[in-house]
């Protein structure tokens, strides 16, 4: 037996639920119709050449291996990057311009 003070009964009688139900049914049916019309997704592998050259790297693709050769065509020589003797180790404080604080005597 239903009660008269039930808050759901006036909403159902006024048609708010009917409008919501019709709207949801139309939305679901249009979404399913749209899903049936879309073509299937076809994934194709990218077309690559055997040798690719980009800025700073050259890639050679073969059946046996993928070889990457990194080269720096536009960069200036880095400081202390040349061949030196092991006795001439770069000083990090000189490179960054930091002075060692000295105590007064």
């Amino acid at each position: 037996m239903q009660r008269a003070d039930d808050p759901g009964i006036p909403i159902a009688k006024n048609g708010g639920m009917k409008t919501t139900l019709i709207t949801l049914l139309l939305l679901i049916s249009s979404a399913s119709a749209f899903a049936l019309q879309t073509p299937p997704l076809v994934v194709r592998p990218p077309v690559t050449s055997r040798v690719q050259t980009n800025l700073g790297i050259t890639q050679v693709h073969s059946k046996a291996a993928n070889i990457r050769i990194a080269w720096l065509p536009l960069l200036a020589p880095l400081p202390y990057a040349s061949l030196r003797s092991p006795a001439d180790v770069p000083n990090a404080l000189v490179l960054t311009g930091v002075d060692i604080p000295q105590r007064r005597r």
Side-chain angles (χ1 to χ4, degrees):
M1 185 173 196
Q2 295 182 357
R3 295 181 293 166
D5 60 341
D6 191 11
I9 293 173
I11 294 174
K13 285 183 180 178
N14 292 335
M17 293 296 284
K18 291 178 188 176
T19 307
T20 305
L21 181 63
I22 291 171
T23 306
L24 285 174
L25 287 175
L26 285 174
L27 180 66
I28 291 170
S29 64
S30 64
S32 63
F34 178 73
L36 292 175
Q37 293 176 358
T38 56
L41 180 64
V42 177
V43 178
R44 295 186 181 120
V47 178
T48 58
S49 62
R50 189 169 175 150
V51 177
Q52 292 178 345
T53 302
N54 297 324
L55 184 66
I57 192 166
T58 300
Q59 297 180 6
V60 180
H61 302 285
S62 67
K63 292 181 181 179
N66 291 328
I67 301 168
R68 293 185 179 129
I69 302 168
W71 51 284
L72 303 173
L74 300 176
L75 295 178
L78 300 173
Y80 291 101
S82 62
L83 297 175
R84 294 175 180 256
S85 67
D88 189 16
V89 176
N91 188 351
L93 298 174
V94 172
L95 291 174
T96 57
V98 176
D99 293 331
I100 299 175
Q102 302 290 329
R103 291 185 184 178
R104 290 186 181 180
R105 292 183 184 200

